[in-house]
Amino acid sequence: MSEVVYEASEVRRARYAVAAVFAVHGAVTGSFATRVPWIQDHASLSTGQLGFALAFTAFGASCSMPLAGWISHRFGSRTALRGLISLWTLSLILPSLAPNLYTLCLAMFVYGASAGMADVAMNALGVEVERLLDKSIMSGLHGMWSTGALIGSAAGTLAAHLGSDARLHFALAAVALTLLGVLACRWVLDLQPAEDEEPPPRFALPPRSALLIGAVGFCAVFAEGASLDWSAVYLRDRLEASAGLAAASTTGFMLTMAVARIVGDAAVNRFGAVRTVRAGGVLAALGGLLVVVAGHPAVAMGGFALMGLGIAVVVPLCFAAAGRSGPNPSQAIAGVATITYTSGLIAPSLIGGVAQATSLMVSFCLVTMLACGLAVFAGVLRAGDRDRPKVSPQAAAVPDPRP
């Protein structure tokens, strides 16, 4: 197997470069989310038709993510990420061009597929940089994703407020974000496979090592999706909060998650992945309990904030653990990503179905139970803890680099 030596300054630059790519990825998502009402009106869709079309995003991502490892092996990590992040940023234009349900479904499939492949590629590089630095950075990287999403959302809100055509908004955003993404990729690590290394399969089921890790991520993403999509409805319908206060609950949840992810690496470096997730599970379960028993909007808002704080670092640590759990990091990360994307897809509809049959309070009892699962099964993330000696400040040796 070949060996590559990286200077410490090169690894530090790679860390900031990957962080910038994460922010660009998040900015695309934030930009799109703010213009969904425009897209619905442009394509003349009912609420049900819009939900059906949006489901193709997760479907496309789930189908494409296993390809990311093969692409990185074939072209090298830097070239692969440059191409995949550009495909993702440019795909932002497609939904605004769709005139009807069928074309929007196709656009959302491509949009989701490019999102999933870029997601796997940038997380795999993040895991490798984290391994070289021998300290947790994945939470901070996902914090940069959340920051990018908030910035994209703010710009999209301004564009919507000004009555801008989403086709023009998305075209300008896509060009700007593509340039930023390509520029950032200049400094990411260029990992190349060893000459005798077998390429990963183009399509494969998640490896066994990723299943339990993915199950923990499933619990976290389920709670995240339920809170993002239903917190405002919960406050409005169950606690009779005003529309502004209900919306503030969702914004507060997003801000809590972003801040917790940015500062979460300090907790992981001090206490380790397992103990951090276990404590987070306790906080998330406590938050869910507050939501369930809340008799006043302020109590429920505090509960949602606690849930955001508790689950914020779980998905980044799941990716970190997956990248260390087997011989093919990209394949394991793709497996975990597929499971978590599936959770994000089914959570909103399942919460709605349970609420329809019983009540929203019962739905969030389910969320609270899944949050308890984070505390119980946190031990499967032990692969994300680092127990090797620290890398020297002069250089970092990388045996058998893999994309």
Side-chain angles (χ1 to χ4, degrees), residues 200-298:
R202 288 179 174 85
F203 293 98
L205 294 174
R208 187 174 302 175
S209 61
L211 294 180
L212 288 177
I213 296 171
V216 174
F218 181 97
C219 294
V221 173
F222 192 98
E224 179 181 350
S227 299
L228 282 175
D229 289 353
W230 288 98
S231 57
V233 177
Y234 191 93
L235 264 71
R236 185 195 65 190
D237 292 355
R238 179 169 170 77
L239 301 175
E240 300 180 349
S242 66
L245 191 62
S249 176
T250 303
T251 302
F253 176 83
M254 292 180 64
L255 285 172
T256 302
M257 284 199 66
V259 172
R261 281 178 168 174
I262 290 172
V263 304
D265 288 320
V268 177
N269 286 322
R270 179 165 184 177
F271 302 109
V274 174
R275 284 191 286 177
T276 301
V277 171
R278 191 160 285 150
V282 172
L283 286 177
L286 178 59
L289 183 61
L290 284 177
V291 170
V292 169
V293 303
H296 189 275

Side-chain angles (χ1 to χ4, degrees), residues 72-313:
S72 294
H73 183 278
R74 174 67 176 80
F75 299 102
S77 62
R78 182 182 295 164
T79 300
L81 183 61
R82 183 184 293 123
L84 292 175
I85 198 67
S86 298
L87 181 63
W88 164 233
T89 53
L90 293 173
S91 72
L92 174 63
I93 300 172
L94 297 179
S96 66
L97 302 178
N100 53 50
L101 174 63
Y102 304 107
T103 53
L104 183 59
C105 288
L106 179 60
M108 297 314 300
F109 182 89
V110 175
Y111 176 84
S114 58
M117 290 188 291
D119 197 330
V120 171
M122 69 188 191
N123 273 285
L125 271 172
V127 168
E128 186 62 27
V129 173
E130 180 179 87
R131 189 182 72 81
L132 289 172
L133 293 173
D134 195 31
K135 64 179 181 179
S136 177
I137 66 167
M138 290 301 292
S139 179
L141 293 179
H142 283 254
M144 289 299 297
W145 188 97
S146 298
T147 301
L150 287 170
I151 294 172
S153 177
T157 299
L158 177 61
H161 179 72
L162 296 174
S164 171
D165 189 304
R167 289 168 292 192
L168 175 61
H169 166 209
F170 283 177
L172 293 175
V175 171
L177 292 172
T178 300
L179 291 175
L180 289 173
V182 169
L183 179 63
C185 286
R186 290 183 60 186
W187 293 284
V188 301
L189 297 179
D190 190 19
L191 305 179
Q192 299 288 341
E195 292 183 2
D196 57 348
E197 182 179 338
E198 290 293 327
R202 288 179 174 85
F203 293 98
L205 294 174
R208 187 174 302 175
S209 61
L211 294 180
L212 288 177
I213 296 171
V216 174
F218 181 97
C219 294
V221 173
F222 192 98
E224 179 181 350
S227 299
L228 282 175
D229 289 353
W230 288 98
S231 57
V233 177
Y234 191 93
L235 264 71
R236 185 195 65 190
D237 292 355
R238 179 169 170 77
L239 301 175
E240 300 180 349
S242 66
L245 191 62
S249 176
T250 303
T251 302
F253 176 83
M254 292 180 64
L255 285 172
T256 302
M257 284 199 66
V259 172
R261 281 178 168 174
I262 290 172
V263 304
D265 288 320
V268 177
N269 286 322
R270 179 165 184 177
F271 302 109
V274 174
R275 284 191 286 177
T276 301
V277 171
R278 191 160 285 150
V282 172
L283 286 177
L286 178 59
L289 183 61
L290 284 177
V291 170
V292 169
V293 303
H296 189 275
V299 178
M301 291 177 71
F304 283 118
L306 274 179
M307 275 203 287
L309 181 64
I311 66 177
V313 301

